[in-house]
């Protein structure tokens, strides 16, 4: 199985800040990397596919980059509704695997 | 707008079979280009992909669960189902169904059900 490792596991930030979350794959996954946002008690929300393509309806402050084994999710101008847990997920090989999550809290 | 809704017992006894159904509305499970997926999340933990199925019945399972999992599709009811047998407390989780879409840039889970908490306990 491909292991996905996110860093940091948690971080605190303020409204208006710019934050970056990193996801590293245990082997190359080319650009088959997706990002999801999850709020407590809710299902994950799909944000980004193919490492950098933002899903329709997702605010433009969300962006993704990377290829091979190293990827990033950047959120610019943090809004109150962005405080949540974020997961990366690879779709290069089944079983599809997720990172352990990064919890983003209000400072 | 595609919507998915899980249903099934919230409490299952150890060694018995967990059974869940996912009803799909706003779209057909027979539409080509999609798989239909089950994902679970133990309390306070991360996400684990269980497996998926195409409208034709082709399945893919997580090897860690493959010996205990069956996913079926019922095109007449526009739904798909999950059976997990010989459950233990480790199978306690919120179970999500989702649509697995494909593009030139890979697969992704773009629509999710609200989730169904299943507790394994005697």
């Amino acid at each position: 199985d491909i292991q996905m490792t996110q860093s940091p596991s948690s971080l605190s930030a303020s409204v208006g800040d710019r934050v970056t979350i990193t996801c590293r794959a245990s082997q190359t996954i080319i650009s088959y990397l997706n990002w999801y946002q999850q709020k407590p008690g809710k299902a994950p929300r799909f944000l980004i596919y193919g490492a950098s393509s933002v899903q329709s309806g997702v605010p433009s402050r969300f962006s993704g980059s990377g290829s091979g084994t190293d990827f990033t999710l950047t959120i610019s101008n943090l809004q109150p509704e962005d405080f949540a847990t974020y997961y990366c997920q690879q779709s290069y090989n089944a079983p599809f695997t997720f990172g352990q999550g990064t919890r983003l809290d209000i400072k | 707008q595609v919507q998915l809704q899980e249903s099934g017992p919230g409490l299952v006894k150890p060694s018995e079979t967990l059974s869940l159904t996912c009803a799909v509305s706003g779209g057909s499970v027979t539409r080509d280009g999609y798989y239909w997926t089950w994902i679970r999340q133990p309390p306070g933990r991360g996400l684990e992909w269980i497996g998926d199925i195409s409208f034709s019945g082709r399945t893919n399972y997580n090897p860690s669960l493959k010996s205990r999992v069956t996913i079926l599709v019922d095109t007449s009811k526009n739904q798909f189902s999950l059976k997990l047998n010989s459950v233990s407390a480790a199978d306690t989780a919120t179970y999500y169904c989702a649509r697995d879409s494909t593009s030139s840039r890979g697969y992704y889970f773009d629509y999710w059900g609200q989730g169904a908490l299943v507790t394994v306990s005697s």
Side-chain angles (χ1 to χ4, degrees):
Chain A
D1 298 2
I2 298 174
Q3 304 303 313
M4 307 300 293
T5 304
Q6 292 181 229
S7 61
S9 294
S10 63
L11 75 157
S12 297
S14 301
V15 172
D17 284 354
R18 179 176 183 267
V19 299
T20 297
I21 298 169
T22 297
C23 178
R24 175 165 289 174
S26 60
Q27 65 179 75
T28 182
I29 56 171
I30 309 179
S31 294
Y32 296 120
L33 190 283
N34 307 318
W35 289 97
Y36 302 86
Q37 174 196 68
Q38 187 178 34
K39 296 181 179 180
K42 300 295 187 181
R45 174 194 180 192
F46 172 53
L47 298 176
I48 290 172
Y49 65 100
S52 60
S53 296
V54 180
Q55 171 69 344
S56 175
V58 173
S60 59
R61 62 181 180 272
F62 290 89
S63 62
S65 65
S67 65
T69 60
D70 295 315
F71 302 86
T72 59
L73 171 69
T74 299
I75 312 171
S76 303
N77 187 24
L78 271 173
Q79 297 299 299
E81 60 268 29
D82 300 336
F83 292 95
T85 298
Y86 292 86
Y87 293 94
C88 62
Q89 173 247 326
Q90 64 84 16
S91 66
Y92 180 73
N93 263 346
F96 303 131
T97 46
F98 293 84
Q100 83 279 15
T102 295
R103 180 174 172 173
L104 175 57
D105 291 332
I106 299 175
K107 186 182 292 184
Chain B
Q1 177 84 349
V2 175
Q3 294 185 324
L4 298 94
Q5 178 68 57
E6 305 90 349
S7 61
L11 181 63
V12 181
K13 291 182 168 55
S15 79
E16 296 191 345
T17 297
L18 178 159
S19 296
L20 292 171
T21 298
C22 181
V24 179
S25 59
S28 173
V29 297
T30 62
R31 186 172 173 184
D32 201 12
Y34 300 109
Y35 272 67
W36 303 92
T37 294
W38 289 98
I39 293 163
R40 70 179 182 178
Q41 185 172 38
R45 300 184 64 183
L47 299 158
E48 179 181 32
W49 178 77
I50 298 171
D52 60 21
I53 191 166
S54 71
F55 76 92
S56 63
R58 179 176 178 177
T59 54
N60 299 288
Y61 296 136
N62 191 322
S64 68
L65 297 168
K66 186 174 184 177
S67 64
R68 299 194 290 131
V69 171
T70 302
I71 297 175
L72 299 172
V73 65
D74 186 339
T75 56
S76 67
K77 295 183 178 179
N78 211 39
Q79 64 185 32
F80 60 107
S81 63
L82 169 71
K83 291 188 185 299
L84 179 67
N85 58 38
S86 304
V87 297
S88 68
D91 295 310
T92 293
T94 295
Y95 286 76
Y96 295 100
C97 59
R99 188 178 80 169
D100 183 357
S101 295
T102 183
S103 75
S104 60
R105 307 198 67 177
Y107 299 93
Y108 47 85
F109 310 123
D110 55 355
Y111 289 96
W112 295 64
Q114 65 185 26
L117 175 61
V118 180
T119 301
V120 178
S121 174
S122 55

